[in-house]
Amino acid sequence: MSPLVSLRYPLVVALAAALTWSMAHALGLGGAAAYGVVIAALIVRPDFGRWPTPLFLVLPLLVGVGLGLGTLLKPLLEAPVVWSFAIISLLAQLMGQLLPDRLAMLRTVLPILAILPLVGSNSTWLSAWKELLAILLGLAVAVGLTAVFRLPRDEGSAGAEPSHAEGAKAAEERSLAERLRDGYFWRKAIASTLALAVGQGLGAANPKYVYFGVVLLLNESLGATLARVRDRMLGVTLGVLMPWLVFNLFGISSVSLALVMGGTAALLPALGLGAHLRTALISSGVTFAGYQALTDWYIPTRWIDYLLGCGLALLVCALVQPISALRRFRELAAQSLRTGEPPPLELQTLLPTAREEALWLGPVSYTHLRAHETEA
């Protein structure tokens, strides 16, 4: 592979971020530009494949509903912010659960965006409109640049990669009643509505990141939750590296923003950490484009607050209806060996999360897992 082709992805991410930033400011979108920058960086795929067309219809709709929900209810709920936060978060998660399982990856969009008006000091319908426009702008810029830089050999890559966490449910679509009866959904919903209060009680500088940690990381099984915790903390840690370096050297501009986002897109694959690239790009974009001059104090407090959110997510996962992906993997593998039948699809679905759980439990558990994996 030529150096030009290998640098194509970070180059396009850098161009998408810089163009979105410049165009957003030229259109008078101001601070909302950060939303467009993050979306532009995420929509550019490393394989330059095409996203499913419905994504470009559903995502703006969810963004508009999420921002509108928070903006509408904020002045109507005359209550302490903890209560307003809990009510809006629960409503947003219930609305997200209305989405079919094949769109499960978008369910976290609503509870994240719906609470942003609560934590903003000047949240109005105008600011929500600007944020939506910035996101649409980021989508358009990223899709356009991806099309320009796509090579003929990239045409085979299409569709989003399925999530291991939702893999078991992708094969069988649940009804709305089944989704609303899901005990693990309610476990996550209740834990997240209490997360802001817990963060405030623990003295978090930005309690919203404790909430984000629960909403984004808490999963059905312990292994899946551990995998998301590792991804989040590695992504946040590496994602703030480039903003910290560039901010202190060059300040804020479209050029420095391109250096930050393109540098992060090049750094993680070079370190063999491409699996954490998406989280790192979000962290880079939010830290640099969103907070700008607050970066110096924002980096350590954001890391600590996310760590608190990770701890809360793991605590809830371990104590409330715990599920061990590793134990389930061993049971299915043993059953397959006894019956002599081919390994079920669920076994392959559980493998990544079972491996993650075994890695955290130590070398003995990991060795046993590899033995079961080989036998199956």
Side-chain angles (χ1 to χ4, degrees):
M1 182 181 294
S2 69
L4 182 60
V5 173
S6 63
L7 292 175
R8 183 173 49 134
Y9 173 66
L11 172 64
V12 175
V13 169
L15 287 174
L19 279 176
T20 302
W21 174 268
S22 299
M23 293 173 66
H25 279 83
L27 294 172
L29 301 182
Y35 291 82
V37 167
V38 172
I39 288 296
L42 294 178
I43 291 299
V44 179
R45 293 181 57 177
D47 60 1
F48 284 81
R50 301 177 188 273
W51 290 98
T53 302
L55 176 71
F56 301 102
L57 302 175
V58 176
L59 182 58
L61 178 62
L62 291 179
V63 170
V65 170
L67 292 173
L69 179 66
T71 305
L72 174 65
L73 294 183
K74 181 180 179 179
L76 298 180
L77 296 173
E78 296 182 0
V81 66
V82 171
W83 289 103
S84 302
F85 205 96
I87 293 171
I88 292 177
S89 171
L90 182 58
L91 287 175
Q93 290 182 76
L94 283 170
M95 294 171 68
Q97 200 68 359
L98 299 178
L99 294 173
D101 286 333
R102 63 179 178 274
L103 297 176
M105 62 178 293
L106 296 176
R107 284 183 183 146
T108 55
V109 172
L110 281 171
I112 294 296
L113 291 175
I115 61 92
L116 292 181
L118 297 180
V119 298
S121 57
N122 295 313
S123 298
T124 63
W125 285 107
L126 178 59
S127 63
W129 172 245
K130 288 182 176 180
E131 289 159 3
L132 177 59
L133 288 181
I135 288 173
L136 292 174
L137 178 63
L139 279 171
V141 170
V143 170
L145 287 174
T146 299
V148 169
F149 284 87
R150 183 180 290 120
L151 300 177
R153 64 182 178 84
D154 300 323
E155 291 295 335
S157 301
E161 297 177 1
S163 168
H164 295 303
E166 281 90 33
K169 295 180 181 177
E172 184 178 350
E173 190 75 23
R174 297 176 299 169
S175 67
L176 175 59
E178 289 173 327
R179 296 198 299 272
L180 292 178
R181 287 197 304 265
D182 187 349
Y184 295 101
F185 159 71
W186 288 105
R187 178 184 70 171
K188 182 176 182 177
I190 294 172
S192 59
T193 55
L194 299 174
L196 186 75
V198 172
Q200 290 182 346
L202 294 174
N206 291 287
K208 65 181 179 182
Y209 289 114
V210 180
Y211 166 81
F212 289 163
V214 175
V215 167
L216 295 172
L217 309 180
L218 182 57
N219 210 297
E220 290 187 3
S221 72
L222 182 60
T225 302
L226 285 168
R228 291 191 177 186
V229 165
R230 183 163 64 91
D231 171 69
R232 179 61 47 173
M233 295 315 298
L234 278 173
V236 168
T237 301
L238 295 172
V240 299
L241 179 61
M242 292 303 296
W244 180 74
L245 292 174
V246 174
F247 172 77
N248 287 289
L249 292 175
F250 302 108
I252 306 293
S253 69
S254 58
V255 175
S256 59
L257 183 62
L259 288 174
V260 166
M261 303 304 287
T264 298
L267 176 64
L268 268 75
L271 296 176
L273 298 172
H276 310 289
L277 179 59
R278 200 170 292 176
T279 302
L281 286 173
I282 295 173
S283 183
S284 291
V286 170
T287 303
F288 196 73
Y291 284 83
Q292 303 177 22
L294 301 180
T295 302
D296 285 338
W297 66 263
Y298 170 75
I299 289 175
T301 57
R302 183 171 187 254
W303 195 90
I304 293 171
D305 294 343
Y306 252 128
L307 192 61
L308 291 175
C310 292
L312 181 58
L314 288 172
L315 185 65
V316 172
C317 188
L319 297 181
V320 183
Q321 292 183 297
I323 287 183
S324 171
L326 180 58
R327 183 183 299 114
R328 179 62 177 164
F329 180 90
R330 288 171 174 170
E331 291 173 354
L332 289 175
Q335 179 182 348
S336 178
L337 288 175
R338 285 196 307 269
T339 61
E341 298 178 354
L345 178 62
E346 185 183 356
L347 194 69
Q348 295 300 319
T349 304
L350 285 170
L351 179 58
T353 54
R355 184 185 291 124
E356 184 73 28
E357 196 172 322
L359 283 171
W360 283 76
L361 290 176
V364 175
S365 295
Y366 186 70
T367 302
H368 288 168
L369 173 67
R370 293 303 300 269
H372 281 294
E373 183 180 343
T374 302
E375 293 171 356

